[in-house]
Amino acid sequence: MISSTAPENVKDVHGVRERILTAGRAEFAQNGLGAGSVRAIGERAGVTAAMINYYFGGKRALYDAVVSEAQARLGRRLSAAVAGDRAGLAPRLAAAHFDFLSEEPELQRLLLREVLDQGQSVRELAARYVQPLRALFEQHFGADDEALQLAVSLFGAVAGYFLYEPLLGAFLGVDPHSPGALARRRRHVIRLATHLDEMNR
Amino acid sequence: MISSTAPENVKDVHGVRERILTAGRAEFAQNGLGAGSVRAIGERAGVTAAMINYYFGGKRALYDAVVSEAQARLGRRLSAAVAGDRAGLAPRLAAAHFDFLSEEPELQRLLLREVLDQGQSVRELAARYVQPLRALFEQHFGADDEALQLAVSLFGAVAGYFLYEPLLGAFLGVDPHSPGALARRRRHVIRLATHLDEMNR
DNA sequence: ATACGTTCTAAATGAACGTTTAGATCCGCT
DNA sequence: AGCGGATCTAAACGTTCATTTAGAACGTAT
């Protein structure tokens, strides 16, 4: 249960709490939990470091709030893609994943750091989203191992593109974040997913 | 140019330098450059923190040495896979990449952190290995965009499997590091690469 | 046995860290 | 006008950080 230990009577009439949340997201995405500094977050938000404790109860609690918000956002996107028609589920999921990562590079970095740090929130995330996805996957595609492996590859292909962006710049010969490169990548990823969909016919 | 500023006259008769290198690798893989501590490295190596400065000239220089050694090791593996027969290049590369990551999870984490931290060594790595790979790729497969995209997907599929290991545990239903799961994944990845190879016939 | 360079520790230094505290300022309500 | 809670800052606290320094211990060669 991620909850801030801040006093109940804060009202945040000037949007400071929101600004700290944004600043914390940027700082933690850039430097991670351990190397991120509350003084730097305060500077980004235009307040003193003491405000982090006032509104959130501490550095760790702010981090938890930031991560849990990011996870919720990703979860909402994936859930929306899962809902609706059964046909075209795989490409819809791939597109949703791809779009989330390309639109929110900050959250991508933040969540990757959380995975690398082996934060317990990762295991919670696994239980909350990945397990149900697996169940959905099985009833749609069956428990065939090759289909599972392909799904994993698809996932890695989508995430890896953004993770290894600096290396891929040299490999692809263009900036991976340029509109053209993004569009080409999106097309390819959706085609891969469609292939997975059809493989099961 | 990554070089330690340690005095020239150190001889390391007791293998302390090597022990510090190993300890630094473990510490930086676990916590990254910013959050890793030289005191913790000293403890791991059984010496005082001052020894990091004595042998390497500082925390940053030790980190550079550790990362550059890891990159060299990965580079050697990939180079060995590239050398030899032209046929089967893609699956050989994929297998080499996969084997490196599965055998050296510590280096995997270390290098991933370096990518996330956008260290300049990543750009150097890109220039040293990725660009030549791209040239090799082009003369073998042509500049076809779909082939490039597939290569990127393959790369992401290999790396993503290890990166998202805690999530995949929930998805695959087994420990991704178990021998059986590793063997299945390796087979799948090689098959994907072979598919890429044949696509170009 | 003595001298010397190498290896290492313990202690000190100054900066940065997260957090706490005391109090100033602000604003709505009576 | 003045009280009271909400918001915020400046300063201080204790801890940890990377690094420097002085000198002890060690092995080797003379």
Side-chain angles (χ1 to χ4, degrees):
Chain A
M1 198 68 281
I2 292 159
S3 74
S4 98
T5 33
E8 295 292 319
N9 42 353
V10 303
K11 286 173 187 163
D12 187 31
V13 290
H14 297 108
V16 172
R17 202 189 129 98
E18 205 57 41
R19 259 157 52 213
I20 291 177
L21 218 44
T22 304
R25 185 159 51 235
E27 173 76 5
F28 289 134
Q30 199 165 89
N31 302 320
L33 170 60
S37 132
V38 298
R39 279 185 166 87
I41 294 172
E43 262 183 44
R44 279 182 203 258
V47 293
T48 334
M51 285 295 95
I52 277 91
N53 294 278
Y54 180 68
Y55 278 101
F56 292 90
K59 179 194 192 182
R60 181 61 207 235
L62 170 60
Y63 178 78
D64 285 343
V66 162
V67 166
S68 114
E69 194 219 10
Q71 286 183 352
R73 254 203 259 186
L74 172 57
R76 250 179 278 129
R77 295 285 285 263
L78 294 186
S79 300
V82 165
D85 213 32
R86 263 302 159 78
L89 173 66
R92 247 182 12 250
L93 259 174
H97 189 195
F98 183 92
D99 290 342
F100 176 78
L101 296 184
S102 69
E103 290 164 20
E104 312 249 35
E106 205 170 61
L107 297 190
Q108 142 92 338
R109 284 161 61 84
L110 181 78
L111 294 179
L112 268 172
R113 287 212 128 87
E114 176 68 3
V115 169
L116 266 181
D117 289 345
Q118 314 247 52
Q120 64 153 12
S121 81
V122 173
R123 300 205 129 77
E124 290 173 18
L125 183 73
R128 201 170 321 146
Y129 295 113
V130 179
Q131 269 283 19
L133 265 181
R134 157 79 192 226
L136 187 72
F137 187 90
E138 263 198 17
Q139 81 180 67
H140 193 194
F141 298 98
D144 176 47
D145 183 65
E146 185 60 17
L148 267 180
Q149 296 289 345
L150 235 173
V152 171
S153 293
L154 186 58
F155 184 75
V158 171
Y161 180 79
F162 294 101
L163 170 60
Y164 288 98
E165 181 222 309
L167 296 184
L168 293 181
F171 187 71
L172 293 175
V174 294
D175 173 24
H177 266 97
S178 69
L182 278 178
R184 273 196 299 279
R185 185 66 193 167
R186 205 183 116 103
R187 248 195 319 272
H188 166 80
V189 152
I190 290 178
R191 192 157 13 178
L192 257 188
T194 308
H195 177 67
L196 192 157
D197 240 354
E198 283 168 354
M199 214 191 68
N200 201 249
R201 289 269 157 77
Chain B
M1 196 69 272
I2 291 157
S3 75
S4 97
T5 34
E8 295 293 318
N9 42 352
V10 303
K11 285 174 187 163
D12 188 29
V13 289
H14 295 109
V16 172
R17 202 190 129 97
E18 207 56 42
R19 260 157 53 214
I20 291 176
L21 219 42
T22 303
R25 187 159 49 234
E27 173 76 4
F28 289 134
Q30 201 166 87
N31 301 319
L33 170 59
S37 133
V38 297
R39 278 184 168 87
I41 293 172
E43 262 182 46
R44 278 183 203 259
V47 293
T48 335
M51 286 295 95
I52 278 90
N53 294 278
Y54 179 70
Y55 279 102
F56 293 91
K59 178 195 192 181
R60 180 61 207 234
L62 170 61
Y63 177 78
D64 285 343
V66 162
V67 166
S68 115
E69 194 218 9
Q71 285 184 352
R73 254 204 259 185
L74 173 57
R76 251 179 277 129
R77 294 286 284 266
L78 294 186
S79 299
V82 165
D85 215 32
R86 264 301 157 78
L89 173 66
R92 250 184 6 254
L93 259 175
H97 189 195
F98 183 91
D99 291 341
F100 176 78
L101 295 183
S102 69
E103 290 164 21
E104 311 249 37
E106 205 170 60
L107 298 190
Q108 142 93 339
R109 286 161 61 83
L110 181 78
L111 293 179
L112 268 172
R113 288 213 124 92
E114 177 67 3
V115 170
L116 266 181
D117 289 346
Q118 314 246 53
Q120 65 153 12
S121 83
V122 173
R123 300 206 129 77
E124 289 173 18
L125 183 73
R128 200 168 324 144
Y129 295 113
V130 179
Q131 269 284 17
L133 265 182
R134 155 79 192 228
L136 187 73
F137 187 90
E138 262 197 21
Q139 82 179 67
H140 194 195
F141 297 99
D144 175 46
D145 183 65
E146 185 60 18
L148 268 180
Q149 296 289 346
L150 235 173
V152 171
S153 292
L154 185 58
F155 183 77
V158 171
Y161 181 79
F162 295 101
L163 170 60
Y164 288 97
E165 181 222 310
L167 297 183
L168 293 181
F171 187 70
L172 294 175
V174 294
D175 173 24
H177 266 98
S178 70
L182 278 178
R184 274 195 300 279
R185 185 65 193 167
R186 204 183 118 102
R187 248 195 319 270
H188 166 80
V189 151
I190 289 178
R191 192 156 13 178
L192 255 188
T194 308
H195 176 68
L196 192 158
D197 240 353
E198 283 167 356
M199 213 192 70
N200 202 250
R201 289 269 158 75

